[in-house]
Amino acid sequence: MLGLLQGFAAGLMLSISFFDLAHNALNSLGFLKGNLWFFAGVVFFGVVANFIPEPTLAPASSDKSRKKNGDGGGKDIMKKHRRQVLFSGIITAVGISLHNFPEGMAVFLGSIKGLRVGLNLALAIALHNIPEGVAVALPVYFATESKWQAFKLASLSGFAEPLGVIIVAYLFPSSLDPEILEGLLGSVGGVMAFLTLHEMLPLAFDYAGQKQSVKAVFFGMAFMSASLYFLSISLPEDMSL
């Protein structure tokens, strides 16, 4: 079940990356600039990933020591798996937090246009955020066995939206070029794609097998694509997310 949920979360992340962030960057900046920003994000986090220590097992000194320790090797493997799952949960939280910034901005700008638009958009985004919260909370709960830790990290990733409201209300109108903003969001898409393929998908394969995991990935992509569609039709015509 954990592997399937990891695959589902990977599908959510890939859908956000390719069909939302990268797609908007290509439409706004053109094919060349959009791709340059996207792959700049990929290269940036590819370099950063080299400095992130991956969970490793402490090598046993000999077979005799393994026998003396009984099931210690199995416990070490489980600890490694829990660290990997926790790391993937944190990665998901960071990626979804970055994705939530423009959603908060959209609610703010929609509310300026009118209360009905703002309320409809807020409701659509709230429903759209439920699977995102699940994608963050489940791996954290599996790794820590703490409902509070899972709730806390999922909630923190959601606070990116009100932060997006604050930023757009007080900073963006006077200090950030919309083209740079679109480029940065395209780079975020590249970062999310790299994280998903490098961390989450291999973990899903380990737990659920390739065939089942790939099905879960496409189900997650379809689910998020439908969510993004219903979110887009709730926006006014002269506004995009």
Side-chain angles (χ1 to χ4, degrees):
M1 181 58 70
L2 178 69
L4 292 175
L5 290 170
Q6 283 286 301
F8 179 78
L12 299 181
M13 297 274 280
L14 288 174
S15 183
I16 291 169
S17 173
F18 291 117
F19 302 148
D20 184 20
L21 300 177
H23 173 75
N24 289 340
L26 291 171
N27 284 342
S28 301
L29 306 177
F31 185 82
L32 179 60
K33 284 186 178 179
N35 271 284
L36 288 174
W37 277 101
F38 178 85
F39 284 104
V42 172
V43 172
F44 168 76
F45 207 84
V47 173
V48 171
N50 289 327
F51 299 97
I52 299 175
E54 295 188 7
T56 55
L57 288 173
S61 58
S62 66
D63 291 335
K64 291 182 180 179
S65 63
R66 289 181 187 175
K67 292 178 181 178
K68 288 180 180 178
N69 292 334
D71 62 346
K75 290 180 180 178
D76 283 345
I77 292 172
M78 180 55 69
K79 285 181 181 178
K80 178 190 175 184
H81 286 173
R82 290 187 187 280
R83 286 197 296 271
Q84 287 177 324
V85 173
L86 179 61
F87 187 55
S88 76
I90 293 171
I91 283 169
T92 306
V94 172
I96 286 176
S97 296
L98 294 171
H99 165 71
N100 283 345
F101 271 139
E103 292 181 351
M105 296 174 191
V107 173
F108 176 80
L109 295 173
S111 299
I112 289 176
K113 290 179 178 291
L115 183 61
R116 183 187 63 81
V117 174
L119 285 175
N120 287 343
L121 189 53
L123 178 61
I125 286 180
L127 295 173
H128 158 86
N129 282 346
I130 291 173
E132 294 180 351
V134 171
V136 175
L138 279 172
V140 176
Y141 177 62
F142 174 85
T144 64
E145 297 183 346
S146 168
K147 292 181 180 178
W148 168 243
Q149 293 295 334
F151 174 80
K152 185 166 63 174
L153 191 59
S155 299
L156 285 173
S157 71
F159 282 131
E161 285 185 18
L163 185 59
V165 172
I166 294 170
I167 290 173
V168 77
Y170 293 104
L171 298 178
F172 278 4
S174 60
S175 63
L176 188 63
D177 186 338
E179 183 172 322
I180 295 176
L181 176 60
E182 286 293 346
L184 290 173
L185 291 175
S187 293
V188 169
V191 169
M192 290 175 67
F194 183 92
L195 290 173
T196 303
L197 298 174
H198 186 261
E199 298 292 341
M200 297 176 68
L201 204 55
L203 202 61
F205 286 173
D206 285 345
Y207 280 96
Q210 291 188 9
K211 290 184 179 179
Q212 296 301 319
S213 296
V214 168
K215 291 176 185 176
V217 168
F218 281 109
F219 181 73
M221 292 181 75
F223 189 94
M224 183 55 69
S225 294
S227 176
L228 290 169
Y229 170 74
F230 288 115
L231 190 57
S232 68
I233 63 175
S234 69
L235 289 166
E237 291 182 1
D238 59 339
M239 189 177 165
S240 62
L241 187 61

